[in-house]
Amino acid sequence: MARVPEPLVVGRVIGDVLDSFTPTTHMSVTYNTKLVCNGLELFPSVVTAKPRVEIQGGELRSFFTLVMTDPDCPGPSDPYLREHLHWIVTDIPGTTDAAFGREALSYEMPRPNIGIHRFVFVLFKQKRRQSINPPSSRDCFSTRSFAAENDLGLPVAAVYFNAQREGAARRR
Amino acid sequence: MAVTMALATATGAAECSRWSMASLKGALPSLPERCTIPTASSSSAPCGHRSLRLSVGLRKPEFQFGSFSGLSPLNPLLSLGLSESMSFEHNFTIIDNGGRVSAMRHGRKVPKLNRPPDQRKALLRGLTTQLLKHGRIKTTRARASAMRKYVDKMITLAKDGSLHKRRQALGYIYEKQIVHALFAEVPDRYGERNGGYTRIIRTLPRRGDNAPMAYIELV
């Protein structure tokens, strides 16, 4: 049963980062037992380490690519460095998690300086076991063109969370 | 205070005794006689003339309240019923919706945000400044929906771009670099869009007081 991707439309993830797609695979991203739902607000201190990404769909023979980007870099009011790339993991076998894949680009801790940033996890299904070359720089990344270059097609799952700079006085 | 002025002119006019009928008549609050007093009296105090002329023009409404000081003088409803000698055009300066004061909130659209008007204006100015600076802020739903009008107003001023509009924006936004940056980038960013420059996304309530929160962002 495909879940309606309305939170992604409302949060303008579909539009800024992705094109409209139908989610076929269920993906769950967990930071230290905190499950990431669309639009959840997390502290940067929570997201320092890479999350546990479980893919509950596909078969063991199918491979997936996970991309994590920040479309509001350096600030949501003027994102001239859209998007900033944080993490690429390729060749993830289905029904497992991202630790079994090949980390093409190492995980970079989110550092939102200005405003509230969205951080998007996008899952693509690979047609075959391929090697993906990571782009030269992390800035000015385009998920659409990355998918087009590596022949990945439309995404199969996406989730996003929000984060802002943790000031010294911020207490929950 | 008006009584002492009348007494002063009366003593200037009639030098014989303080407690004459002329002084008593001058002390009583009656308007047409007070108009003729400066022209009739040959008082030697020039400041008394000027203050009298001022009092004829400006003290006229308050003088009516002063005569009925036993009741609450500032209640417009009571004074409307009791002061029948007031002029017709004077009634409109007290209540301007025809005296319709309702007990319910029907048709009142201004959000009060639980603050007095000066604080409310300052809060909205601060919120629009921060939204224009950061692009996306998280605040309560009531404040986010109250802010929309002012953010759209600022972007419309920037779309116009003239010096007068820039100065109007500088008078509202607290930081002037934000105004200059806004005027520089708005024509490219919002040139084709007519209105609706913000988006509100509702989110989870705040933990401390369960206040419904929302993100407001520039489209």
Side-chain angles (χ1 to χ4, degrees), chain A residues 120-133:
Chain A
V120 188
F121 290 95
V122 192
L123 193 71
F124 295 97
K125 186 160 184 169
Q126 289 172 221
K127 297 196 171 80
R128 61 199 172 280
R129 202 185 174 101
Q130 64 198 82
S131 67
I132 303 223
N133 328 327

Side-chain angles (χ1 to χ4, degrees), chain A residues 10-42:
Chain A
V10 167
R12 294 311 300 162
V13 170
I14 292 183
D16 289 341
V17 182
L18 310 169
D19 298 318
S20 181
F21 68 97
T22 41
T24 54
T25 317
H26 182 62
M27 164 174 74
S28 74
V29 182
T30 331
Y31 275 105
N32 271 9
T33 75
K34 264 201 171 80
L35 175 66
V36 170
C37 306
N38 281 317
L40 181 71
E41 168 121 21
L42 294 172

Side-chain angles (χ1 to χ4, degrees), chain A residues 10-12 16 39-41 72 75-79 113-118 160 162-164 170 172, chain B residues 131-138 185 189-190 199-205 207-208 215-219:
Chain A
V10 167
R12 294 311 300 162
D16 289 341
L40 181 71
E41 168 121 21
D72 301 319
S77 68
D78 190 20
N113 251 334
I114 304 175
I116 303 177
H117 293 224
R118 298 165 288 175
Y160 81 101
N162 292 319
Q164 53 181 318
R170 260 187 78 79
R172 175 65 84 162
Chain B
L131 177 64
L132 292 172
K133 178 175 182 181
H134 290 108
R136 182 185 290 134
I137 60 174
K138 179 167 157 184
E185 75 165 77
R189 199 165 154 181
Y190 296 118
R199 175 183 297 131
I200 293 187
I201 303 176
R202 293 172 296 166
T203 175
L204 294 170
R207 180 177 169 240
Y215 287 110
I216 177 167
E217 60 186 28
L218 294 171
V219 153

Side-chain angles (χ1 to χ4, degrees), chain B residues 152-168:
Chain B
D152 286 357
K153 241 184 199 171
M154 288 298 117
I155 295 186
T156 309
L157 288 182
K159 261 190 174 176
D160 186 291
S162 63
L163 174 63
H164 179 55
K165 301 284 188 256
R166 189 183 286 258
R167 286 186 172 163
Q168 284 184 317

Side-chain angles (χ1 to χ4, degrees), chain A:
Chain A
M1 187 187 76
R3 211 172 301 118
V4 181
E6 266 200 17
L8 296 173
V9 174
V10 167
R12 294 311 300 162
V13 170
I14 292 183
D16 289 341
V17 182
L18 310 169
D19 298 318
S20 181
F21 68 97
T22 41
T24 54
T25 317
H26 182 62
M27 164 174 74
S28 74
V29 182
T30 331
Y31 275 105
N32 271 9
T33 75
K34 264 201 171 80
L35 175 66
V36 170
C37 306
N38 281 317
L40 181 71
E41 168 121 21
L42 294 172
F43 283 124
S45 55
V46 172
V47 298
T48 43
K50 63 177 80 162
R52 194 178 136 83
V53 182
E54 287 162 358
I55 302 171
Q56 281 111 10
E59 318 86 25
L60 216 52
R61 281 162 296 140
S62 59
F63 297 102
F64 294 92
T65 301
L66 175 77
V67 177
M68 175 181 171
T69 63
D70 170 15
D72 301 319
C73 185
S77 68
D78 190 20
Y80 55 86
L81 294 175
R82 164 168 288 173
E83 310 150 13
H84 186 83
L85 186 55
H86 281 275
W87 200 24
I88 300 184
V89 187
T90 55
D91 298 336
I92 307 172
T95 73
T96 60
D97 68 47
F100 293 90
R102 183 180 69 89
E103 199 177 27
L105 197 61
S106 59
Y107 181 80
E108 186 194 354
M109 188 184 101
R111 310 193 93 239
N113 251 334
I114 304 175
I116 303 177
H117 293 224
R118 298 165 288 175
F119 294 96
V120 188
F121 290 95
V122 192
L123 193 71
F124 295 97
K125 186 160 184 169
Q126 289 172 221
K127 297 196 171 80
R128 61 199 172 280
R129 202 185 174 101
Q130 64 198 82
S131 67
I132 303 223
N133 328 327
S136 47
S137 97
R138 287 187 185 244
D139 286 333
C140 296
F141 179 73
S142 165
T143 311
R144 289 190 181 100
S145 62
F146 177 79
E149 277 163 16
N150 294 291
D151 195 24
L152 292 168
L154 285 180
V156 296
V159 78
Y160 81 101
F161 68 92
N162 292 319
Q164 53 181 318
R165 194 172 69 96
E166 199 170 353
R170 260 187 78 79
R171 300 233 110 253
R172 175 65 84 162

